[in-house]
């Protein structure tokens, strides 16, 4: 199989990030930053639990009522607080994963997120999720786009040659 020519190379990629788990957000950010580095217009639409890594690390509790604040308390927001989807083992799993990555010189999620911002990846928070979970724009990291709805995300996906749901 041959490499695509520049005329065939994808120009746009959209990723739907629905999980804030470390082992799902890591590849999302690797693919997002790599796509942008290859010159693709890259958009990541962060929805449901996938939105929490965009919350600033210094924000401990989000939410607008007891239930949404309790959810934030059980699922601490911020890129530095992500858990593994399995083998969490009271924090030992993420620590081990990060150590293995450091030893193999794999870029960590925080640096990848910064790279995405530097490479002008569109980081779109889901407007409905923000309203439902009581997240405010001022609680998100700098550089995140204005919240958008599903229709805007679908419109972007319809123009993309690569669409991923991670």
């Amino acid at each position: 199989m041959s490499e695509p020519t520049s005329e065939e190379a994808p120009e746009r990629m959209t990723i739907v990030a629905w999980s804030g788990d470390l082992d799902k957000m890591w590849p999302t950010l690797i693919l997002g930053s790599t796509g942008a580095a290859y010159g693709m217009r890259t958009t990541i639409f962060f929805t449901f639990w996938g939105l929490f890594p965009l919350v600033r690390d210094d924000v401990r509790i989000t939410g607008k009522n007891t239930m949404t604040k309790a959810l934030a308390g059980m699922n601490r927001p911020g890129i530095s607080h992500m858990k593994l989807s399995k083998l969490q083992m009271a924090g030992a799993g993420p620590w081990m994963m990060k150590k293995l990555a450091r030893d193999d010189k794999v870029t960590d999620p925080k640096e990848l997120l910064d790279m995405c911002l530097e490479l002008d990846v569109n980081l779109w928070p889901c407007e409905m999720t923000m309203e439902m979970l009581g997240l405010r724009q001022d609680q998100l990291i700098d550089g995140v786009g204005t919240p958008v709805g599903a229709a805007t995300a679908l419109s972007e996906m319809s123009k993309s040659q690569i669409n991923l749901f991670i």
Side-chain angles (χ1 to χ4, degrees):
M1 184 171 211
S2 63
E3 291 289 319
T5 65
S6 63
E7 293 175 17
E8 298 169 334
E11 296 176 1
R12 293 174 99 134
M13 175 171 60
T14 302
I15 302 171
V16 177
W18 70 275
S19 172
D21 291 333
L22 175 64
D23 48 329
K24 295 183 178 95
M25 189 53 61
W26 212 325
T28 298
L29 296 170
I30 289 170
L31 292 168
S33 59
T34 303
Y38 274 100
M40 283 187 247
R41 176 188 161 105
T42 304
T43 299
I44 306 175
F45 178 65
F46 295 86
T47 189
F48 285 89
W49 301 120
L51 188 52
F52 281 83
L54 294 183
V55 175
R56 295 189 336 259
D57 280 337
D58 65 322
V59 175
R60 179 66 182 96
I61 298 292
T62 59
K64 58 187 175 190
N65 56 39
T66 304
M67 190 174 292
T68 54
K69 289 179 182 185
L71 285 170
M74 293 184 284
N75 180 36
R76 186 172 181 180
I79 193 85
S80 300
H81 308 291
M82 294 184 293
K83 299 176 181 173
L84 288 174
S85 61
K86 54 184 171 180
L87 303 175
Q88 178 62 20
M89 301 181 296
W95 178 84
M96 292 167 63
M97 183 67 75
K98 289 176 183 176
K99 174 157 182 17
L100 288 171
R102 244 187 340 269
D103 292 349
D104 277 359
K105 301 186 181 355
V106 174
T107 307
D108 75 35
K110 171 83 173 88
E111 290 176 65
L112 289 165
L113 185 58
D114 291 341
M115 289 171 64
C116 284
L117 288 166
E118 289 172 18
L119 293 166
D120 293 326
V121 171
N122 296 315
L123 305 176
W124 290 351
C126 174
E127 185 174 35
M128 182 204 70
T129 302
M130 288 190 67
E131 289 176 17
M132 184 175 76
L133 296 177
L135 294 168
R136 300 186 320 264
Q137 181 86 30
D138 67 301
Q139 295 174 319
L140 303 181
I141 61 171
D142 291 336
V144 171
T146 302
V148 301
T152 302
L154 284 172
S155 175
E156 186 67 18
M157 293 173 81
S158 73
K159 300 170 193 161
S160 296
Q161 293 79 35
I162 299 173
N163 290 298
L164 304 169
F165 190 87
I166 302 174

